[in-house]
Amino acid sequence: MSDVIIIGAGPAGLAGAIACAENGLRVTVVDEFIKPGGRLLGQLHQEPSGDWWNGIKEAERLHQNAMNLSVDIRCGVSVYNLEKCSQNWNVHTSIGTLTAPFVLIATGAAEYPVPVPGWTLPGVMSIGAAQVMTNVHRVQVGKKGIIIGANILAFAILNELQLAGINVERIVLPEKNPNSQKAGEPEEVLKSLLHASHLAPSPLLRFGSKFMKKDWIRKMGINFYPKNGIKINGTPLQLRKAALEVIGKDQVEGVRIADTDANGKVIPGTEKIYEADFVCIAGGLYPLAELAAVTGCPFHYVPELGGHVPSHSETMETPLDGLFVAGNITGIESGKIAMAQGITAGLSIAKHAGKGKNNINNKLQQAVQNIRTVRQNAAIQFNPDIDRGRSKMKQIWEDQHNNNNQTQEKIG
Amino acid sequence: MSRILNHPIFGKINDRKQVSFQFDGKTYEAYENETIAAALLANDVRKLRVHEDSGTPRGFYCNIGHCMECRVTVNGQSNTRACLTVVQQDMVVESGKLLPNIIRRMVEEQ
Ligand SMILES: Cc1cc2nc3c(=O)[nH]c(=O)nc-3n(C[C@H](O)[C@H](O)[C@H](O)COP(=O)(O)OP(=O)(O)OC[C@H]3O[C@@H](n4cnc5c(N)ncnc54)[C@H](O)[C@@H]3O)c2cc1C
Ligand code: FES
């Protein structure tokens, strides 16, 4: 039997496994993908230093370290339920039930779907699907593509598609409606892009940000936004065009697109069909937290973290005994931060298991501090208000903790 | 679609072993450790199934196991995710098919 079961072999899960194993715990990691690495696999961007962040290499490094420490990693295994049974957690998987006193849930993130009429046609895929097909499986997703949705993930992956020689013809917005919400409002999109512009891959956007911080300029920005878009490395970003429908018989053949006003309202008579054989929908990311939900762990809605997240402390414990979380399940951030959180969770578990001798508290505090440092230096940031989100969660946890102490005092 | 054998950062891929498998009775070539979804796309097959009730075509959507859009039958096991399943030599894969809608029939017969 293992001491710890880790669900998810992404950067958080693998780093957690390494930290646990280094402190003498026996660890099993399960993941349903074909190989370890999680969403690190496929990541490829240039750091401000000019170095390439190659997620596949990072994943290999973590995998090797974990193997050297005899971590038992099982890929192709899905977890579908999780329950506490006296002192142990039962983890129900596609290969049977695994049992251990400690569980770390590191299931990462999923993409928000943005339903567009015709989106069930083969050839329509999430932007992340295109990343994995291109960089992990090394198969072209198509010859001529259109991206629907303009956000930081869409730009990062546009860049990766371009590097692999895949032709993306344009980026447009989804039509404004209750499903697409702010993602369909040109002004809101421009605002969020300018916010993230120091990270954006386009020098033009970076340049623009200096002049467009003020609201009235921003207004003028979207009103005078060129109809044919601003090119990002050759691909026009068309904030004043909206995708109305994906068309095709047995697979994608094109997208019906119209011009919009600054608020995203379709201008009648401007509709046109643009040919394409693949379409990527970029709706942004949310924490993939179902498994924490089935344990009964309390949740909080923190929009800055990407949505509903399981209640957790800075040291990655949940209110449930023996249950820990790390990585994007706690909030949407980049791979390096997931790794730093994984290390913290691993040390936290070691501490609860009575391992790591007397310097474990020091190490744990250093690990928590390290998460903040990595966050400050992050090259890619999904939400500009991430710090506020993290503080909210910290406050919620501390309030909860104080309440519990008070109740216990009363009972005692 | 063709494979991306040369990549400016990742480099070249070569020396991969080929395996063959069947999809709806036709034989296709895949490379070892490739998923069914990737192998079929490389063979220009995007349509993995039809919707059980409406019969409209479906392909992979998320490519990482979250959406269940890519479900196919693998060696007799239905509802298997093509994006998470590695092709094996002589694997028999079938697309998801139209199914009788029992509830609709019950309503119609009422
Ligand atoms: C499509 C996509 C693209 C991204 N691109 C970037 C990028 O370019 N740059 C960047 O910095 N960040 C990117 N991210 C953010 C990414 O989430 C983090 O960088 C980082 O990978 C998060 O690490 P993690 O360990 O929390 O989760 P992940 O890396 O997502 O790993 C989670 C693992 O858990 C497994 N899993 C989930 N549920 C189960 C289950 N029920 N049973 C078994 N296994 C399960 C998954 O298969 C996965 O391997 C992207 C995220 C997504 C979803
Ligand atoms: S494509 Fe989403 S589960 Fe396979």
Side-chain angles (χ1 to χ4, degrees):
Chain A
M1 195 176 107
S2 304
D3 301 307
V4 192
I5 295 166
I6 298 183
I7 308 170
L14 289 177
I18 293 165
C20 285
E22 279 173 346
N23 283 286
L25 293 168
R26 287 163 304 174
V27 188
T28 301
V29 183
V30 288
D31 194 300
E32 61 180 351
F33 197 61
I34 57 172
K35 51 179 152 182
R39 302 287 73 78
L40 269 181
L41 301 167
Q43 292 183 17
L44 185 64
H45 32 84
Q46 224 165 355
E47 307 261 281
S49 64
D51 294 338
W52 285 93
W53 169 255
N54 179 343
I56 293 179
K57 279 222 175 103
E58 289 299 318
E60 278 166 4
R61 184 180 60 80
L62 287 169
H63 182 203
Q64 199 52 53
N65 284 352
M67 299 275 279
N68 293 346
L69 290 159
S70 306
V71 172
D72 179 13
I73 302 178
R74 313 226 186 141
C75 287
V77 177
S78 301
V79 176
Y80 59 87
N81 194 11
L82 189 62
E83 59 183 350
K84 186 87 188 244
C85 203
S86 63
Q87 291 308 301
N88 286 318
W89 285 95
N90 287 336
V91 179
H92 302 286
T93 80
S94 50
I95 53 160
T97 301
L98 308 172
T99 301
F102 295 98
V103 167
L104 169 59
I105 312 182
T107 45
E111 293 185 71
Y112 277 112
V114 182
V116 172
W119 75 320
T120 53
L121 277 170
V124 180
M125 65 196 81
S126 73
I127 189 83
Q131 178 182 53
V132 171
M133 206 46 105
T134 305
N135 291 348
V136 182
H137 301 315
R138 301 280 289 266
V139 176
Q140 290 184 344
V141 281
K143 302 271 179 229
K144 199 175 194 183
I146 294 177
I147 295 178
I148 302 176
N151 51 42
I152 188 82
L153 190 61
F155 293 134
I157 297 176
L158 167 69
N159 213 265
E160 293 165 12
L161 292 172
Q162 289 170 333
L163 264 175
I166 310 284
N167 170 27
V168 180
E169 294 263 301
R170 60 193 76 243
I171 304 181
V172 299
L173 299 189
E175 187 181 2
K176 183 179 160 181
N177 60 33
N179 281 325
S180 62
Q181 295 178 1
K182 282 185 178 173
E185 295 175 20
E187 202 172 338
E188 287 297 324
V189 173
L190 185 63
K191 207 153 79 180
S192 71
L193 293 183
L194 291 172
H195 229 104
S197 55
H198 64 292
L199 313 158
S202 156
L204 241 174
L205 280 178
R206 223 178 289 154
F207 167 81
S209 72
K210 281 193 198 137
F211 298 91
M212 297 172 93
K213 281 275 190 265
K214 287 209 171 74
D215 252 39
W216 67 272
I217 300 179
R218 204 175 274 151
K219 198 90 172 186
M220 211 175 76
I222 199 64
N223 281 331
F224 289 95
Y225 194 85
K227 214 175 113 198
N228 289 325
I230 292 177
K231 283 196 175 164
I232 298 187
N233 208 4
T235 298
L237 168 63
Q238 301 179 317
L239 297 180
R240 295 285 296 274
K241 287 191 194 293
L244 308 183
E245 185 186 9
V246 183
I247 51 170
K249 193 173 163 284
D250 252 355
Q251 58 185 52
V252 173
E253 291 166 26
V255 183
R256 198 155 56 82
I257 291 173
D259 292 349
T260 62
D261 67 15
N263 297 316
K265 228 180 101 205
V266 169
I267 300 170
T270 59
E271 282 182 27
K272 237 171 119 172
I273 289 173
Y274 293 90
E275 223 180 85
D277 68 345
F278 76 97
V279 169
C280 297
I281 295 186
L285 303 173
Y286 67 91
L288 186 62
E290 281 98 334
L291 285 174
V294 299
T295 64
C297 178
F299 271 67
H300 299 283
Y301 180 65
V302 187
E304 297 90 341
L305 298 180
H308 294 273
V309 291
S311 187
H312 63 277
S313 69
E314 275 199 307
T315 50
M316 301 290 134
E317 45 191 332
T318 72
L320 304 192
D321 223 17
L323 186 70
F324 295 76
V325 286
N328 272 208
I329 188 177
T330 72
I332 303 306
E333 292 192 79
S334 68
K336 280 188 184 169
I337 294 168
M339 239 180 264
Q341 288 180 317
I343 295 171
T344 307
L347 291 170
S348 208
I349 292 170
K351 180 185 160 183
H352 279 78
K355 299 276 183 181
K357 307 196 200 77
N358 39 19
N359 67 348
I360 190 81
N361 279 321
N362 266 343
K363 278 194 189 163
L364 191 51
Q365 280 322 307
Q366 274 169 22
V368 170
Q369 184 52 46
N370 184 47
I371 299 176
R372 294 196 199 108
T373 314
V374 176
R375 182 170 297 134
Q376 269 157 19
N377 300 325
I380 186 166
Q381 205 180 53
F382 293 94
N383 192 313
D385 296 324
I386 187 73
D387 278 325
R388 181 145 39 109
R390 292 292 175 197
S391 308
K392 273 190 192 171
M393 189 64 242
K394 185 166 181 253
Q395 196 57 50
I396 291 170
W397 179 269
E398 281 167 5
D399 291 348
Q400 199 73 41
H401 209 73
N402 290 341
N403 277 346
N404 284 351
N405 284 350
Q406 276 166 13
T407 332
Q408 267 166 13
E409 268 166 33
K410 269 186 213 147
I411 296 169
Chain B
M1 295 300 130
S2 35
R3 291 187 168 79
I4 304 161
L5 297 176
N6 282 311
H7 190 283
I9 311 295
F10 295 132
K12 271 190 186 175
I13 321 184
N14 34 32
D15 294 341
R16 281 194 301 178
K17 233 174 73 190
Q18 279 203 324
V19 291
S20 55
F21 71 107
Q22 270 189 29
F23 179 67
D24 281 349
K26 235 181 112 179
T27 303
Y28 294 94
E29 294 294 320
Y31 284 100
E32 58 176 352
N33 300 324
E34 203 164 54
T35 63
I36 297 171
L40 285 174
L41 180 63
N43 283 286
D44 285 326
V45 178
R46 287 192 191 271
K47 181 172 153 185
L48 300 176
R49 64 178 184 104
V50 293
H51 185 264
E52 288 83 346
D53 185 36
S54 68
T56 51
R58 295 289 192 277
F60 71 87
Y61 179 77
C62 74
N63 211 8
I64 53 168
H66 294 166
C67 73
M68 304 298 289
E69 279 291 89
C70 63
R71 48 192 192 267
V72 291
T73 301
V74 176
N75 294 336
Q77 176 65 55
S78 58
N79 294 326
T80 303
R81 286 169 288 182
C83 70
L84 292 185
T85 309
V86 172
V87 174
Q88 311 284 351
Q89 177 66 37
D90 298 329
M91 194 179 238
V92 178
V93 183
E94 273 169 276
S95 61
K97 304 280 189 315
L98 258 172
L99 292 176
N101 186 330
I102 302 164
I103 294 172
R104 174 169 306 151
R105 208 158 52 200
M106 273 163 57
V107 173
E108 278 165 3
E109 278 168 12
Q110 257 181 9

